[in-house]
Amino acid sequence: MAPTPAYALIATDLDGTLLRGDDTVSDRSLAALARVARAGARHLVVTGRPAPRVRPLLADLGCTGLAVCGQGAQVYDAGGDRLLWSVRLDRELAETALGKIEAEVGQVYAAVDQDGVDGLTLIEPGYRMPHPTLPAVRVARRDDLWCAPISKVLLRHTSLSDDALAAVARAAVGSLATVTMSGPGTVELQPSGVTKATGLALAAERLGIGAARTLAFGDMPNDIPMFGWAGRGVAMANAHPELKAVADEITLSNEDDGIAVVLERLFPTD
């Protein structure tokens, strides 16, 4: 009889972690995830991307279960194409937070992810998408960003680094919102208290799996709360130094099948 695997839930970030730079998953990584499934463990995507931007990737991965999207603000049921749980960012509060940040650093450029399974990504004039492959709708002015409920705001600055912008935003915004950095050019405001850990905990509870039996993979500071919740956190070689500092292990990069390397070691062969 095959031994019970140490981990029952494998939580993976997408960009910079499971996905390669061209938004694909390698054959080796797919084979490793298939090995996980055959061993009886579950794979859960935990990503900053909103549900509408994740749907095609989940289909490619063959995922019909749960996914945590929008930095933990959404728990998405891929099989039913519906949100089981979602938290919105109050639009007036978001405007106030933007004003506080701009009072410190001057003009920033903003985008929003609308709430819902069919929500759009809206970008104001001057905002440049960090992932050019992701669809977005350009609006004429900032006020148009608030035309429908949102899950988060994305920020960019013409001269400040992502680390500097995130630090200023945290100080300026305080408890109005949670500030995260999820990738190059991706500083975000999301509902206060919402992180990848809150979404992961909710999804894991629905699956009947505890934190101790959860293995998490990530590459950016927005994965720090997830690492704090999970039993073990593995950072990619290309990860941000802040995440590496709290990781239990560092694997190879996303381009070098870092996730597969760990899963092949932890899960028995067929």
Side-chain angles (χ1 to χ4, degrees):
M1 183 174 179
T4 301
Y7 297 101
L9 183 62
I10 309 302
T12 67
D13 174 47
L14 287 178
D15 296 289
T17 303
L18 180 61
L19 295 180
R20 296 179 292 190
D22 61 358
D23 270 9
T24 63
V25 181
S26 73
D27 290 342
R28 183 178 178 185
S29 292
L30 288 172
L33 291 173
R35 176 185 294 192
V36 165
R38 287 192 294 272
R42 305 291 290 270
H43 172 222
L44 181 70
V45 166
V46 185
T47 177
R49 297 193 188 197
R53 308 288 88 81
V54 176
R55 187 188 291 122
L57 293 170
L58 295 177
D60 291 343
L61 289 168
C63 293
T64 58
L66 303 184
V68 177
C69 307
Q71 304 293 10
Q74 300 172 328
V75 176
Y76 174 63
D77 173 12
D81 190 27
R82 62 194 179 108
L83 290 174
L84 302 181
W85 182 80
S86 67
V87 180
R88 295 172 175 176
L89 176 59
D90 181 87
R91 286 168 280 178
E92 290 187 6
L93 185 151
E95 284 191 280
T96 299
L98 279 175
K100 288 179 174 292
I101 294 168
E102 290 187 320
E104 298 294 328
V105 299
Q107 185 174 16
V108 297
Y109 296 101
V112 301
D113 284 335
Q114 294 179 331
D115 188 38
V117 295
D118 295 312
L120 302 173
T121 297
L122 304 182
I123 58 178
E124 72 173 345
Y127 185 88
R128 180 169 54 87
M129 287 290 289
H131 297 286
T133 60
L134 296 180
V137 176
R138 190 170 296 280
V139 297
R141 55 199 181 102
R142 178 170 291 180
D143 286 350
D144 296 330
L145 297 177
W146 322 120
C147 66
I150 63 172
S151 60
K152 65 179 178 180
V153 177
L154 300 91
L155 307 175
R156 301 202 74 166
H157 193 275
T158 56
S159 59
L160 288 179
S161 69
D162 297 330
D163 290 293
L165 179 57
V168 171
R170 288 190 188 99
V173 169
S175 62
L176 291 178
T178 297
V179 178
T180 61
M181 182 170 54
S182 61
T186 313
V187 175
E188 303 178 357
L189 306 178
Q190 60 200 65
S192 181
V194 171
T195 67
K196 283 191 173 185
T198 58
L200 174 56
L202 284 169
E205 182 179 13
R206 283 182 173 268
L207 296 172
I209 301 171
R213 299 200 65 203
T214 300
L215 173 66
F217 292 87
D219 74 308
M220 291 298 290
N222 65 323
D223 295 313
I224 291 174
M226 178 168 70
F227 277 26
W229 184 86
R232 187 172 183 82
V234 181
M236 314 305 289
N238 51 286
H240 191 283
E242 289 182 12
L243 186 67
K244 288 183 175 179
V246 301
D248 297 299
E249 179 181 349
I250 298 172
T251 186
L252 299 182
S253 74
N254 61 316
E255 300 291 345
D256 295 321
D257 298 310
I259 287 179
V261 168
V262 175
L263 296 182
E264 289 165 359
R265 185 185 79 235
L266 293 177
F267 287 81
T269 58
D270 299 328

